[in-house]
Amino acid sequence: MRMRTSAGVVVAGALAASVLAVPAAQASGRLGDTAITKVTVNGGAAVVVGTSTAKKFSVTLTAKDDSGISEADITLFGPSFGMLSPSSTSCSGNTCTAKFVVDPKVDLAYDNGVAGTWYVDAWVDANDGDYVWTEKVKSFKFQRASKLTVNASPEPVKKGRTVTVTGKLTRANWDTFKYHGYAKQSVQLQFKKKGAKSYSTVKTVKSSATGGLKTTVKASKDGHWRYSFAGTSTTPAVSAGGDYLDVK
């Protein structure tokens, strides 16, 4: 293995927010015909972390070289000086897999700012001594887990009467390791009539300073009411489980 510059030196399993500063940016480079052809993070899904359970995910990198691939260094960088290194990395054929474990109470303590767009930096060595180093070879979302509730009342209700639909949008807070209200977010109120297969949007509601949701509608048909949030760069989309309302 060649000597790596400081960009490849990380603290295993820990974010740099509390222990390191992100090193100065480096230009991508290569020697020979080694090339990275594909990078997949967490199977193509966002990495979503809650308040207590450790999140495990993998980064899979495919590369090519006429001599074959020897090994790879894969590092993740994010906002607020976030940095993660893998717990293990292995290569088989032209594919290398780096495994990551993020414990919110260890790696994310007191830094909600690391949520957002992250990047994969990768260095790949070939068997003949060729190599390729690429910064930001792949981007992905690293997000604070979200929750959404709904309650439609009164129930049952007479047709034509007013129905009040309440709920709350919350997301993981890595300062307190609890779920706090997500304020001033647009959330859709949706309805699925009895026997239907899909929901339709009725109106859009803004969450309060504490994440609360409240609006009124007229009772017309039996069916399920729910709130649905489209998500942001730091917080994943989420829909509440439908609350069935019986209209008499």
Side-chain angles (χ1 to χ4, degrees):
M1 174 78 68
R2 289 181 181 79
M3 291 293 293
R4 298 292 188 254
T5 60
S6 60
V9 181
V10 293
V11 175
L15 283 173
S18 59
V19 294
L20 292 173
V22 173
Q26 297 183 21
S28 299
R30 66 192 303 168
L31 175 67
D33 63 346
T34 311
I36 297 171
T37 58
K38 185 178 180 181
V39 177
T40 303
V41 180
N42 195 33
V47 176
V48 179
V49 184
T51 58
S52 58
T53 303
K55 173 68 177 182
K56 298 180 180 180
F57 66 99
S58 298
V59 176
T60 303
L61 178 151
T62 303
K64 63 181 181 178
D65 186 276
D66 59 5
S67 70
I69 302 304
S70 172
E71 53 191 340
D73 286 348
I74 297 172
T75 309
L76 309 181
F77 291 90
S80 189
F81 303 108
M83 183 162 65
L84 281 171
S85 64
S87 57
S88 66
T89 303
S90 60
C91 295
S92 177
N94 291 329
T95 300
C96 297
T97 301
K99 295 184 178 181
F100 293 83
V101 180
V102 182
D103 184 337
K105 291 189 175 181
V106 175
D107 303 316
L108 306 178
Y110 313 114
D111 197 354
N112 291 313
V114 299
T117 301
W118 279 60
Y119 298 94
V120 179
D121 287 1
W123 183 308
V124 179
D125 281 317
N127 289 318
D128 60 1
D130 292 348
Y131 66 88
V132 61
W133 159 252
T134 305
E135 290 185 320
K136 296 185 176 181
V137 67
K138 183 73 174 181
S139 65
F140 65 98
K141 297 299 182 185
F142 188 93
Q143 298 177 316
R144 299 161 62 178
S146 56
K147 294 182 179 181
L148 188 54
T149 62
V150 67
N151 182 62
S153 64
E155 47 187 324
V157 64
K158 291 184 178 180
K159 186 174 182 178
R161 293 291 182 89
T162 297
V163 175
T164 300
V165 186
T166 58
K168 190 169 186 178
L169 175 65
T170 59
R171 61 176 177 168
N173 187 305
W174 299 323
D175 288 336
T176 63
F177 307 114
K178 296 180 180 180
Y179 281 79
H180 291 196
Y182 197 6
K184 299 180 180 180
Q185 299 301 308
S186 295
V187 181
Q188 293 181 332
L189 176 66
Q190 299 181 331
F191 180 71
K192 181 177 70 174
K193 68 179 181 181
K194 185 177 180 180
K197 294 183 178 180
S198 60
Y199 281 87
S200 298
T201 298
V202 176
K203 63 172 70 174
T204 299
V205 181
K206 280 278 190 181
S207 61
S208 70
T210 58
L213 300 162
K214 184 177 181 180
T215 191
T216 59
V217 293
K218 295 294 184 181
S220 59
K221 302 175 182 178
D222 293 350
H224 291 85
W225 290 95
R226 76 174 186 183
Y227 281 114
S228 183
F229 175 58
T232 64
S233 62
T234 62
T235 309
V238 63
S239 294
D243 185 21
Y244 185 78
L245 189 65
D246 183 16
V247 178
K248 300 294 187 182

